[in-house]
Amino acid sequence: MSLTRFDFASLPVTPWRNGGGETREIACWPPGAQDFDWRASIATIAQDGPFSAFSGIDRSITLLEGDGVRLFSAGQIDHHLSQVGEPFAFSGDVALKATLLGGSSQDFNIMTRRGRLAARVQRVTTATRLPGQHAGVLYVLEGRWAVADGVTLVAAEGGWWAAGEHSGSLTPLTEESVILWADITPG
């Protein structure tokens, strides 16, 4: 197993150029690539404003905390991201306007290069087997989880791995445990 662990507090913070928030990058594959195959991050949206378009990229966003945000593009997308732990997938080609539904919003983001990879983000509450040949990202919302080889993750912690570098299972260790799993597969 080659799981790279992280916790929210230790992720590097990059302020947005427009001043509307910040991003904490979890991982980018291949590492450091501008033309990435996949990227995972946690963003804090602090004010209303544009949501960057990424041509050729498919995106998934999941509310982690806060009141949420409305993502809008006339005639294309009108989605209220207001339920913690419920993923929303959309094309990164669309330039959106983000409007806060209250205070700031914290979100789990997965991006994949269309035609190379695809991602399915799931809210997991029961024991689950992880496919050995897929890349993936985990982030604990609640409780404690056994990942493999004695690794335990708790709320605001997670892990990621490249394709073919991890296998095993997720096992909740406490009642009401919730983890997000981004299963990244060939596209």
Side-chain angles (χ1 to χ4, degrees):
M1 172 176 116
S2 183
L3 178 76
T4 301
R5 294 178 67 168
F6 67 88
D7 67 86
F8 175 79
S10 67
L11 293 171
V13 178
T14 303
W16 294 354
R17 282 177 276 172
N18 69 6
E22 64 187 26
T23 298
R24 294 172 184 253
E25 185 172 273
I26 296 168
C28 182
W29 195 263
Q34 291 288 59
D35 185 29
F36 60 82
D37 288 341
W38 64 267
R39 181 175 183 253
S41 64
I42 296 174
T44 300
I45 302 172
Q47 65 186 34
D48 299 347
F51 212 67
S52 300
F54 288 88
S55 180
I57 300 293
D58 289 321
R59 300 181 71 172
S60 179
I61 184 171
T62 307
L63 182 64
L64 298 177
E65 64 180 54
D67 296 319
V69 63
R70 177 185 181 209
L71 300 174
F72 180 78
S73 179
Q76 296 186 54
I77 294 174
D78 188 357
H79 181 77
H80 285 76
L81 188 73
S82 58
Q83 297 295 316
V84 170
E86 295 299 322
F88 174 64
F90 61 100
S91 170
D93 296 313
V94 179
L96 300 171
K97 177 166 175 33
T99 305
L100 292 170
L101 300 175
S104 67
S105 170
Q106 193 176 82
D107 309 291
F108 180 69
N109 296 286
I110 302 293
M111 294 189 227
T112 54
R113 177 107 20 224
R114 193 175 305 119
R116 291 187 202 167
L117 296 171
R120 179 172 172 241
V121 178
Q122 305 166 61
R123 181 181 190 273
V124 178
T125 59
T126 60
T128 302
R129 187 99 183 118
L130 300 172
Q133 293 306 309
H134 300 181
V137 183
L138 302 170
Y139 189 74
V140 178
L141 292 176
E142 295 178 41
R144 293 177 57 232
W145 288 83
V147 179
D149 296 337
V151 174
T152 300
L153 299 173
V154 298
E157 292 182 345
W160 67 271
W161 61 95
E165 292 187 5
H166 175 72
S167 64
S169 60
L170 298 173
T171 306
L173 299 176
T174 56
E175 287 191 36
E176 299 184 24
S177 289
V178 180
I179 194 167
L180 293 176
W181 169 34
D183 185 19
I184 302 169
T185 61

